[in-house]
Amino acid sequence: YAAGNDPDRIRSAQELEAEVTSGGCWLSHDAESRRVLRVVQLVTLRLHHWQGGKVCARIAEWSGTEQRMVRRRLQLPGKKMRPGELPHQTLRRLLQSDFQGVDYQIEEAVDENSQIHPGSYKLFTKYVTTEFSACMQANCDMRQVGSLPAPDNSIDSWQTNGVPIFINDAGAGLKVSVYTWVPEEALQAAPSSSDLEGSVVEAEFSAPRCEWKTEKSEDLIQM
């Protein structure tokens, strides 16, 4: 009823209902702030480059349906946990879908934390995150498919001349994470939101899109 006759609110409410029904999130009441919270369980991967000083981060998203790329705020690779799934099972899905063909060593360290941020559906979202750490094997890298130009007026030295981008799979009709390597301090300093979020960007591709997919890639889902 709160949505009234507003089509955007009705669509948002329907999407939230579908996400709750599927187990992608649940709703909770925060007694201190008296807010309704959307709670999401995530598993993230802090993948270190073998040369040191750099970590893998999502920088954009490719839409196979719309054939376009949009910028996203810098964040670690990750996936939502499915109902009944354990964190290491979610990690396995992430590695199978986004990092096929990459040689890495999963480290012992596992970090768990929870943070509350403005999220989807105009609700504050509590992200309960389990973070795994891994390191690329020496002389290994992801498959580069092109580069992303630096944002206008960018003052970040690491992306002044653009950055290489890596896409493991470009399945038709799917939204696929686009990754790059960033200095660890740049990821730590990345804001929780950005004016560039959702803006369309023209990437320069060095590999045909039909070659983005690896032979073993499977189980790709949207974050």
Side-chain angles (χ1 to χ4, degrees):
Y1 292 105
N5 294 319
D6 187 321
D8 290 335
R9 288 188 175 184
I10 292 174
R11 182 173 59 253
S12 180
Q14 291 172 338
E15 291 174 353
L16 176 59
E17 181 182 14
E19 186 179 34
V20 172
T21 302
S22 68
C25 75
W26 70 90
L27 301 181
S28 176
H29 180 260
D30 183 53
E32 184 174 341
S33 65
R34 297 185 178 180
R35 290 193 184 108
V36 174
L37 293 179
R38 169 177 170 259
V39 184
V40 177
Q41 285 187 293
L42 296 174
V43 167
T44 59
L45 175 66
R46 187 174 294 272
L47 180 62
H48 300 267
H49 196 278
W50 60 274
Q51 291 179 319
K54 295 184 292 184
V55 294
C56 177
R58 187 179 78 154
I59 193 173
E61 189 175 69
W62 170 260
S63 172
T65 301
E66 300 173 354
Q67 293 290 293
R68 68 176 188 174
M69 188 175 295
V70 296
R71 286 192 182 273
R72 297 300 183 201
R73 67 179 179 87
L74 285 180
Q75 60 183 174
L76 293 174
K79 285 196 182 296
K80 293 178 185 175
M81 291 180 62
R82 291 174 174 171
E85 202 170 45
L86 296 175
H88 73 271
Q89 294 172 320
T90 309
L91 174 65
R92 185 180 302 118
R93 280 197 297 112
L94 173 64
L95 294 172
Q96 288 176 341
S97 65
D98 288 27
F99 296 97
Q100 282 284 358
V102 176
D103 293 328
Y104 50 81
Q105 178 65 46
I106 300 295
E107 299 174 353
E108 293 290 333
V110 177
D111 180 50
E112 297 183 358
N113 66 80
S114 63
Q115 296 179 327
I116 297 177
H117 296 289
S120 303
Y121 316 111
K122 297 183 179 180
L123 288 175
F124 275 81
T125 299
K126 180 177 182 179
Y127 295 98
V128 182
T129 305
T130 301
E131 180 184 305
F132 290 86
S133 183
C135 185
M136 296 272 288
Q137 299 285 19
N139 299 314
C140 177
D141 209 336
M142 295 181 288
R143 178 181 298 180
Q144 182 176 345
V145 300
S147 62
L148 205 61
D152 294 337
N153 303 319
S154 173
I155 59 174
D156 296 322
S157 59
W158 63 271
Q159 60 175 341
T160 301
N161 298 315
V163 294
I165 53 175
F166 308 90
I167 301 176
N168 185 69
D169 194 348
L174 295 174
K175 292 183 179 180
V176 184
S177 292
V178 179
Y179 297 112
T180 191
W181 293 107
V182 303
E184 294 196 53
E185 59 271 18
L187 183 61
Q188 293 172 355
S192 59
S193 62
S194 169
D195 293 339
L196 295 171
E197 178 80 12
S199 61
V200 178
V201 60
E202 292 294 331
E204 298 179 1
F205 296 111
S206 58
R209 292 168 194 170
C210 62
E211 295 181 4
W212 291 0
K213 187 174 181 178
T214 61
E215 293 181 359
K216 297 181 181 179
S217 182
E218 58 186 15
D219 195 29
L220 182 65
I221 68 168
Q222 181 183 352
M223 261 287 284

